[in-house]
Amino acid sequence: MEEKNTQCESEVEIPSVPVIQFYPQLYKQRYRFVEDLVYRYEPKKVADLGCGDASLLRQLKKLSCIELLVGVDIKDEWQNLVTLMPDTTFGFLELTIILYQGSVVERDSRLLGFDMITCIELIEHLNPDDLAKFPEVVFGYLSPSMVVISTPNSDFNPLFEVVTVRDFDHKFEWSRKEFQSWALRVAETYSYSVEFTGVGEPPAGAESVGFCTQIGIFRKNGAKAAESCASEQREQHVYKPVVTISFPSLQQEKYFKTTVVSEVCKQVKIMRMEYLRGLKEQEEGREPSNESDPRLLAPMLWEGQLYTEAEKARIEASAKPFSVKDKFYVPLQRLPAYVRLHHLGVSEERIRSVLADSGTLSSDGSAVAIDLHD
């Protein structure tokens, strides 16, 4: 990948700014960033190192391209796994989710040959010895096609009211210059390219501090050759398997219908919420919110969700929701434009067929109709 934002000022002037708030919350922006990468590159095998409560896995399991999803964490704190991994997750491929207990600086051959490994807010928790081992294990031994690493940007910290480090367990927090220097050395050593970006935009007037969370996207040079070497590695099983869950495929009609109905309901409710917000603003004599709304500071945020510019344009070009008396209507033509329904490949006719017996279609079958107010 092309290297970006590698030059940073050694000293950053910090203007006076109000209390920092992110919308959506910063962790949600990080998760959506990873989701967008998965949508773009369609990896089949994804592992999250330092997965914590497996929240990111819960997001990624919805993506139809993934057939193996692995989480690794030093702590075995995965409670309520039925809630964490509900049986309403289906993909076009059979999906297997495996959670392992173990250290991310230990070698386990079951993680060889992966397309993507994510390390979201992980490295700052590693002590110096483990941080020194980390590149050799992840980039040298596991050698996935792509590695995504996020970590706090300490240049941003002065914008918070009271902060030295953001979490008591953080062993360090790097400036952009420090993180990029480390990442470039790792990339050069293990034959990767790296691109720098982030999430959590600073408020107006403080752009010089960069993103609140800095992210490095590493791509293996000659990734296909690395995949062929995975089978030659000696088996090493050091992680403790905690749980394995398998999900059926969307190629089975009943699961496909369940997924479509669930996603349609979700998007219609989000659209209704935004529609009601617009009505309230009109009643109060305010201009409808747009991209200048302070809630829209997050990258690609629109209609309360995160989108790429292409996704947003596709939705804006479709028929708009409307209300008649106490009913809210979403034209079926609009629904396939939304990201997850778009990736399911459903047409307007297919949605109409799936919803035919649900009682949610308008009398002429052209729109989903629900109560304007709960």
Side-chain angles (χ1 to χ4, degrees), residues 97-357:
I97 298 176
I98 304 174
L99 300 179
Y100 292 114
Q101 181 185 10
S103 169
V104 299
V105 296
E106 292 181 306
R107 301 184 179 204
D108 192 300
S109 59
R110 288 169 292 189
L111 267 67
L112 291 170
F114 272 61
D115 302 302
M116 178 185 289
I117 287 180
T118 61
C119 308
I120 306 303
E121 306 300 279
L122 166 67
I123 60 172
E124 64 272 13
H125 294 272
L126 301 180
N127 62 42
D129 289 342
D130 286 344
L131 183 63
K133 298 174 186 174
F134 176 83
E136 173 55 30
V137 172
V138 175
F139 294 91
Y141 176 69
L142 298 179
S143 192
S145 300
M146 180 181 292
V147 180
V148 183
I149 297 178
S150 80
T151 191
N153 167 23
S154 66
D155 292 335
F156 197 101
N157 287 355
L159 295 184
F160 295 113
E161 287 186 299
V162 179
V163 64
T164 50
V165 293
R166 302 182 197 176
D167 187 279
F168 71 91
D169 190 51
H170 288 184
K171 306 304 187 291
F172 62 89
E173 289 181 358
W174 278 335
S175 67
R176 287 167 294 165
K177 183 177 181 180
E178 290 170 321
F179 176 56
Q180 291 172 12
S181 177
W182 175 85
L184 289 167
R185 287 198 306 273
V186 168
E188 182 179 5
T189 301
Y190 297 101
S191 190
Y192 279 78
S193 59
V194 60
E195 174 185 346
F196 299 106
T197 183
V199 295
E201 290 188 348
E207 292 84 356
S208 62
V209 303
F211 292 106
C212 186
T213 293
Q214 53 187 334
I215 298 174
I217 307 168
F218 300 79
R219 299 194 70 188
K220 183 72 175 176
N221 301 326
K224 291 185 178 179
E227 290 174 8
S228 65
C229 296
S231 60
E232 301 172 12
Q233 296 276 9
R234 181 172 59 87
E235 284 196 357
Q236 299 182 61
H237 294 180
V238 297
Y239 294 156
K240 171 188 173 185
V242 178
V243 66
T244 300
I245 306 173
S246 297
F247 297 101
S249 169
L250 280 173
Q251 294 176 8
Q252 301 178 48
E253 183 67 9
K254 66 176 181 178
Y255 298 126
F256 181 84
K257 287 183 175 180
T258 299
T259 301
V260 170
V261 170
S262 174
E263 193 59 36
V264 166
C265 290
K266 172 186 172 182
Q267 294 299 341
V268 168
K269 288 179 180 179
I270 291 173
M271 281 184 263
R272 180 178 63 180
M273 178 185 68
E274 293 297 313
Y275 185 84
L276 290 171
R277 183 169 64 87
L279 290 180
K280 182 179 179 182
E281 290 172 346
Q282 289 179 15
E283 290 172 0
E284 295 173 350
R286 292 187 286 136
E287 290 293 324
S289 296
N290 52 37
E291 291 185 350
S292 64
D293 189 317
R295 298 195 317 157
L296 305 187
L297 289 174
M300 303 178 291
L301 181 66
W302 183 67
E303 279 197 357
Q305 301 184 85
L306 289 167
Y307 294 100
T308 64
E309 286 301 322
E311 291 164 354
K312 178 180 174 181
R314 186 174 66 234
I315 294 168
E316 287 184 319
S318 62
K320 303 293 188 289
F322 61 94
S323 64
V324 178
K325 295 183 179 179
D326 61 347
K327 287 291 183 180
F328 177 68
Y329 296 88
V330 177
L332 296 188
Q333 179 194 7
R334 186 177 183 85
L335 290 168
Y338 282 84
V339 177
R340 289 187 176 86
L341 290 166
H342 182 74
H343 278 268
L344 288 172
V346 291
S347 64
E348 179 182 344
E349 279 302 317
R350 186 72 170 105
I351 294 175
R352 182 179 292 109
S353 173
V354 169
L355 298 179
D357 300 325

Side-chain angles (χ1 to χ4, degrees), residues 54-69:
S55 293
L56 178 57
L57 302 186
R58 184 167 52 205
Q59 295 293 110
L60 297 182
K61 70 186 177 65
K62 304 172 185 176
L63 308 186
S64 58
C65 63
I66 299 177
E67 60 183 18
L68 177 59
L69 195 53

Side-chain angles (χ1 to χ4, degrees), residues 80-99:
N80 303 318
L81 288 173
V82 174
T83 303
L84 180 64
M85 304 293 181
D87 60 3
T88 54
T89 294
F90 318 113
F92 289 110
L93 304 170
E94 299 288 339
L95 171 63
T96 299
I97 298 176
I98 304 174
L99 300 179

Side-chain angles (χ1 to χ4, degrees), residues 9-17 155 158-159 176 205-209:
E9 298 293 334
S10 58
E11 295 183 3
V12 178
E13 183 178 349
I14 307 299
S16 176
V17 295
D155 292 335
L159 295 184
R176 287 167 294 165
E207 292 84 356
S208 62
V209 303

